Amino acid sequence: MRVTAHGRRFRMAFLLTAALAWTPLTAADHPLDPLSQQEIFTAVDALWKAGLLDKNSRFSVVRLAEPDKQAVLSWKPGTQLPRRAFAAVRHERKLYEAVIDIGSKKVISWEHKAGVQPAQFADEWILSQQIVRKDATFLAAIEKRGITDPKALL
């Protein structure tokens, strides 16, 4: 089964929407609070505006880049530490890690991680199952072991 570009975009939008449904709407009260929806959008927008993404770029994670431990320990309620986002992005078949300053909306770092792959995306996992379930060699191997339904394994 071939996954079309439209299908990938739809699934990406669906997964991002589902993830954001569990994300706070407003800014953090504590420096270790997770990123809000607006902070996630700000981080992604900064990467786009910096020209680091294209329509095929995929995010495996966008999360809080934790501040310095000493800064957190000295933090007092009512004060705010600078907020930064960490993003792992698959871009042009390579993995990049980015740090974005939320307040300034600027990309602080964009680093290629050679020899590293991001986590498998949900649509890739589904596609790999579909491919394996149709593979004659795989089907013959599990049948030798008394398994006739590949869905029992995958």
Side-chain angles (χ1 to χ4, degrees), residues 7-56:
R8 280 193 300 271
R9 283 193 298 275
F10 174 78
R11 279 192 286 282
M12 182 65 162
F14 175 77
L15 293 171
L16 184 59
T17 301
L20 291 177
W22 297 98
T23 305
L25 293 171
T26 58
D29 294 324
H30 187 278
L32 295 179
D33 282 348
L35 294 176
S36 68
Q37 286 183 15
Q38 186 58 48
E39 289 172 321
I40 292 170
F41 286 129
T42 298
V44 172
D45 189 53
L47 291 167
W48 272 104
K49 287 180 177 172
L52 299 170
L53 305 178
D54 63 26
K55 65 179 181 161
N56 296 313

Side-chain angles (χ1 to χ4, degrees), residues 58-119:
R58 310 271 308 266
F59 291 86
S60 58
V61 67
V62 179
R63 63 166 172 76
L64 176 68
E66 292 187 10
D68 175 71
K69 185 174 183 174
Q70 197 54 46
V72 173
L73 291 174
S74 62
W75 172 82
K76 303 283 185 237
T79 63
Q80 224 173 0
L81 293 179
R83 301 271 290 169
R84 292 182 172 176
F86 168 85
V89 183
R90 187 173 66 196
H91 176 70
E92 297 177 350
R93 302 183 60 87
K94 297 176 184 169
L95 176 66
Y96 291 86
E97 290 184 350
V99 176
I100 305 97
D101 183 277
I102 300 299
S104 69
K105 302 178 182 179
K106 300 288 182 199
V107 177
I108 296 170
S109 67
W110 175 259
E111 182 181 345
H112 173 242
K113 304 305 273 187
V116 178
Q117 290 184 311

